[in-house]
Amino acid sequence: MYRLTALVTLLSLAFYFFTCINVSRSRTRTGVKAPAISGHPDFERAFRIQMNTLEWMPIFLPSLWLFAIYISDPIAAAIGAIWIIGRIAYFTGYSQAAAKRGPGFAIQGVAAIALWVGALGAVVMRLV
């Protein structure tokens, strides 16, 4: 069973859902009407946070699950939790200013790459 990885998956989806709600709230606060995606810096940062999270999920989620299946559920979940922490740091920093997004981006990027490299290595080892 992959209970811990399942939990991290659900938490990552909850965070993504939160970013979607944040964009909607930001539209209301800043007066940026749909379908516009620009017009106010606060809205544009909220939108980019959501979109960047979405852009990383196809890298993160399959890597998370393949790592859990081929290596370890607890280790995958721990690295996945670090990814979520990085996304939260990215959200917090980028919400304040674009220049503050770097540390969170680095944390989540390293976590995602660790999951991907681990999963790739484990799959390749089983092919040989």
Side-chain angles (χ1 to χ4, degrees):
M1 303 287 298
Y2 301 98
R3 291 182 182 107
L4 296 173
T5 300
L7 177 61
V8 167
T9 298
L10 293 169
L11 290 173
S12 70
L13 294 173
F15 177 75
Y16 177 68
F17 183 65
F18 169 78
T19 67
C20 295
I21 292 170
N22 187 58
V23 168
S24 178
R25 290 176 53 218
S26 184
R27 275 191 189 282
T28 302
R29 218 174 25 253
T30 61
V32 176
K33 305 288 183 209
I37 58 170
S38 64
H40 192 284
D42 290 347
F43 170 77
E44 291 172 9
R45 287 193 309 274
F47 181 75
R48 280 307 306 148
I49 292 165
Q50 180 210 3
M51 293 311 298
N52 188 266
T53 303
L54 180 62
E55 291 160 5
W56 275 88
M57 290 188 85
I59 298 164
F60 168 69
L61 288 173
S63 299
L64 173 73
W65 278 94
L66 290 169
F67 191 105
I69 292 164
Y70 284 95
I71 298 177
S72 166
D73 175 47
I75 296 171
I79 298 170
I82 292 168
W83 185 85
I84 294 170
I85 291 166
R87 293 310 311 176
I88 292 168
Y90 180 83
F91 173 90
T92 303
Y94 206 172
S95 292
Q96 296 169 8
K100 295 183 178 184
R101 72 189 189 277
F105 186 85
I107 292 166
Q108 67 88 42
V110 168
I113 290 167
L115 290 168
W116 183 82
V117 168
L120 178 64
V123 169
V124 168
M125 291 295 289
R126 282 168 178 76
L127 291 173
V128 183

PDB file of all heavy atoms in Angstrom, residues 26 29-32 37-46:
ATOM      1  N   SER A  26      -7.917  37.031  -6.319  1.00  0.00           N
ATOM      2  CA  SER A  26      -7.082  38.119  -6.815  1.00  0.00           C
ATOM      3  C   SER A  26      -7.775  38.870  -7.954  1.00  0.00           C
ATOM      4  O   SER A  26      -7.658  40.096  -8.057  1.00  0.00           O
ATOM      5  CB  SER A  26      -5.728  37.573  -7.285  1.00  0.00           C
ATOM      6  OG  SER A  26      -4.897  38.618  -7.682  1.00  0.00           O
ATOM      7  N   ARG A  29     -10.199  41.182  -6.225  1.00  0.00           N
ATOM      8  CA  ARG A  29      -9.489  42.240  -5.506  1.00  0.00           C
ATOM      9  C   ARG A  29      -8.890  43.288  -6.443  1.00  0.00           C
ATOM     10  O   ARG A  29      -8.877  44.473  -6.131  1.00  0.00           O
ATOM     11  CB  ARG A  29      -8.376  41.597  -4.668  1.00  0.00           C
ATOM     12  CG  ARG A  29      -8.150  42.188  -3.330  1.00  0.00           C
ATOM     13  CD  ARG A  29      -7.139  41.462  -2.439  1.00  0.00           C
ATOM     14  NE  ARG A  29      -6.115  40.671  -3.090  1.00  0.00           N
ATOM     15  CZ  ARG A  29      -6.088  39.336  -3.124  1.00  0.00           C
ATOM     16  NH1 ARG A  29      -7.047  38.636  -2.544  1.00  0.00           N
ATOM     17  NH2 ARG A  29      -5.106  38.700  -3.735  1.00  0.00           N
ATOM     18  N   THR A  30      -8.369  42.836  -7.590  1.00  0.00           N
ATOM     19  CA  THR A  30      -7.653  43.750  -8.485  1.00  0.00           C
ATOM     20  C   THR A  30      -8.494  44.249  -9.648  1.00  0.00           C
ATOM     21  O   THR A  30      -8.062  45.141 -10.376  1.00  0.00           O
ATOM     22  CB  THR A  30      -6.388  43.072  -9.046  1.00  0.00           C
ATOM     23  OG1 THR A  30      -6.773  41.913  -9.802  1.00  0.00           O
ATOM     24  CG2 THR A  30      -5.427  42.691  -7.929  1.00  0.00           C
ATOM     25  N   GLY A  31      -9.670  43.660  -9.851  1.00  0.00           N
ATOM     26  CA  GLY A  31     -10.543  44.093 -10.929  1.00  0.00           C
ATOM     27  C   GLY A  31     -10.152  43.567 -12.303  1.00  0.00           C
ATOM     28  O   GLY A  31     -10.631  44.087 -13.314  1.00  0.00           O
ATOM     29  N   VAL A  32      -9.328  42.541 -12.364  1.00  0.00           N
ATOM     30  CA  VAL A  32      -8.956  41.945 -13.655  1.00  0.00           C
ATOM     31  C   VAL A  32     -10.068  40.980 -14.041  1.00  0.00           C
ATOM     32  O   VAL A  32     -10.285  39.959 -13.406  1.00  0.00           O
ATOM     33  CB  VAL A  32      -7.597  41.219 -13.571  1.00  0.00           C
ATOM     34  CG1 VAL A  32      -7.282  40.517 -14.887  1.00  0.00           C
ATOM     35  CG2 VAL A  32      -6.488  42.192 -13.200  1.00  0.00           C
ATOM     36  N   ILE A  37      -5.528  37.911 -18.505  1.00  0.00           N
ATOM     37  CA  ILE A  37      -4.537  37.315 -17.609  1.00  0.00           C
ATOM     38  C   ILE A  37      -3.429  38.311 -17.274  1.00  0.00           C
ATOM     39  O   ILE A  37      -2.366  37.924 -16.795  1.00  0.00           O
ATOM     40  CB  ILE A  37      -3.957  36.003 -18.185  1.00  0.00           C
ATOM     41  CG1 ILE A  37      -3.311  36.232 -19.542  1.00  0.00           C
ATOM     42  CG2 ILE A  37      -5.020  34.928 -18.240  1.00  0.00           C
ATOM     43  CD1 ILE A  37      -2.528  35.044 -20.054  1.00  0.00           C
ATOM     44  N   SER A  38      -3.694  39.563 -17.531  1.00  0.00           N
ATOM     45  CA  SER A  38      -2.746  40.610 -17.171  1.00  0.00           C
ATOM     46  C   SER A  38      -3.526  41.875 -16.849  1.00  0.00           C
ATOM     47  O   SER A  38      -4.718  41.964 -17.115  1.00  0.00           O
ATOM     48  CB  SER A  38      -1.753  40.866 -18.314  1.00  0.00           C
ATOM     49  OG  SER A  38      -2.428  41.347 -19.446  1.00  0.00           O
ATOM     50  N   GLY A  39      -2.819  42.828 -16.238  1.00  0.00           N
ATOM     51  CA  GLY A  39      -3.473  44.091 -15.948  1.00  0.00           C
ATOM     52  C   GLY A  39      -3.152  44.649 -14.586  1.00  0.00           C
ATOM     53  O   GLY A  39      -3.242  45.842 -14.360  1.00  0.00           O
ATOM     54  N   HIS A  40      -2.782  43.790 -13.643  1.00  0.00           N
ATOM     55  CA  HIS A  40      -2.408  44.246 -12.315  1.00  0.00           C
ATOM     56  C   HIS A  40      -1.300  43.329 -11.806  1.00  0.00           C
ATOM     57  O   HIS A  40      -1.453  42.107 -11.847  1.00  0.00           O
ATOM     58  CB  HIS A  40      -3.609  44.209 -11.372  1.00  0.00           C
ATOM     59  CG  HIS A  40      -3.372  44.922 -10.084  1.00  0.00           C
ATOM     60  ND1 HIS A  40      -2.605  44.389  -9.067  1.00  0.00           N
ATOM     61  CD2 HIS A  40      -3.788  46.138  -9.645  1.00  0.00           C
ATOM     62  CE1 HIS A  40      -2.567  45.236  -8.059  1.00  0.00           C
ATOM     63  NE2 HIS A  40      -3.274  46.307  -8.382  1.00  0.00           N
ATOM     64  N   PRO A  41      -0.210  43.885 -11.318  1.00  0.00           N
ATOM     65  CA  PRO A  41       0.918  43.049 -10.888  1.00  0.00           C
ATOM     66  C   PRO A  41       0.558  42.002  -9.828  1.00  0.00           C
ATOM     67  O   PRO A  41       1.060  40.874  -9.881  1.00  0.00           O
ATOM     68  CB  PRO A  41       1.931  44.050 -10.337  1.00  0.00           C
ATOM     69  CG  PRO A  41       1.592  45.342 -10.996  1.00  0.00           C
ATOM     70  CD  PRO A  41       0.107  45.308 -11.226  1.00  0.00           C
ATOM     71  N   ASP A  42      -0.305  42.343  -8.886  1.00  0.00           N
ATOM     72  CA  ASP A  42      -0.690  41.361  -7.858  1.00  0.00           C
ATOM     73  C   ASP A  42      -1.417  40.179  -8.493  1.00  0.00           C
ATOM     74  O   ASP A  42      -1.168  39.024  -8.136  1.00  0.00           O
ATOM     75  CB  ASP A  42      -1.585  42.009  -6.792  1.00  0.00           C
ATOM     76  CG  ASP A  42      -0.832  42.994  -5.911  1.00  0.00           C
ATOM     77  OD1 ASP A  42       0.420  42.997  -5.944  1.00  0.00           O
ATOM     78  OD2 ASP A  42      -1.505  43.767  -5.206  1.00  0.00           O
ATOM     79  N   PHE A  43      -2.331  40.468  -9.413  1.00  0.00           N
ATOM     80  CA  PHE A  43      -3.036  39.393 -10.101  1.00  0.00           C
ATOM     81  C   PHE A  43      -2.077  38.567 -10.939  1.00  0.00           C
ATOM     82  O   PHE A  43      -2.140  37.335 -10.941  1.00  0.00           O
ATOM     83  CB  PHE A  43      -4.169  39.929 -11.002  1.00  0.00           C
ATOM     84  CG  PHE A  43      -4.724  38.838 -11.871  1.00  0.00           C
ATOM     85  CD1 PHE A  43      -5.580  37.890 -11.348  1.00  0.00           C
ATOM     86  CD2 PHE A  43      -4.333  38.726 -13.195  1.00  0.00           C
ATOM     87  CE1 PHE A  43      -6.055  36.848 -12.142  1.00  0.00           C
ATOM     88  CE2 PHE A  43      -4.807  37.697 -13.992  1.00  0.00           C
ATOM     89  CZ  PHE A  43      -5.668  36.759 -13.464  1.00  0.00           C
ATOM     90  N   GLU A  44      -1.198  39.225 -11.667  1.00  0.00           N
ATOM     91  CA  GLU A  44      -0.274  38.514 -12.547  1.00  0.00           C
ATOM     92  C   GLU A  44       0.624  37.560 -11.754  1.00  0.00           C
ATOM     93  O   GLU A  44       0.897  36.444 -12.199  1.00  0.00           O
ATOM     94  CB  GLU A  44       0.566  39.495 -13.367  1.00  0.00           C
ATOM     95  CG  GLU A  44      -0.275  40.227 -14.397  1.00  0.00           C
ATOM     96  CD  GLU A  44       0.464  41.357 -15.103  1.00  0.00           C
ATOM     97  OE1 GLU A  44       1.701  41.482 -14.929  1.00  0.00           O
ATOM     98  OE2 GLU A  44      -0.202  42.117 -15.815  1.00  0.00           O
ATOM     99  N   ARG A  45       1.053  37.962 -10.567  1.00  0.00           N
ATOM    100  CA  ARG A  45       1.861  37.079  -9.729  1.00  0.00           C
ATOM    101  C   ARG A  45       1.036  35.898  -9.245  1.00  0.00           C
ATOM    102  O   ARG A  45       1.505  34.750  -9.268  1.00  0.00           O
ATOM    103  CB  ARG A  45       2.481  37.852  -8.559  1.00  0.00           C
ATOM    104  CG  ARG A  45       3.620  38.762  -8.987  1.00  0.00           C
ATOM    105  CD  ARG A  45       4.431  39.274  -7.804  1.00  0.00           C
ATOM    106  NE  ARG A  45       3.630  39.856  -6.743  1.00  0.00           N
ATOM    107  CZ  ARG A  45       3.230  41.128  -6.715  1.00  0.00           C
ATOM    108  NH1 ARG A  45       3.558  41.970  -7.679  1.00  0.00           N
ATOM    109  NH2 ARG A  45       2.501  41.569  -5.708  1.00  0.00           N
ATOM    110  N   ALA A  46      -0.204  36.145  -8.830  1.00  0.00           N
ATOM    111  CA  ALA A  46      -1.082  35.042  -8.391  1.00  0.00           C
ATOM    112  C   ALA A  46      -1.323  34.063  -9.537  1.00  0.00           C
ATOM    113  O   ALA A  46      -1.281  32.839  -9.338  1.00  0.00           O
ATOM    114  CB  ALA A  46      -2.409  35.600  -7.874  1.00  0.00           C
TER     115      ALA A  46
END
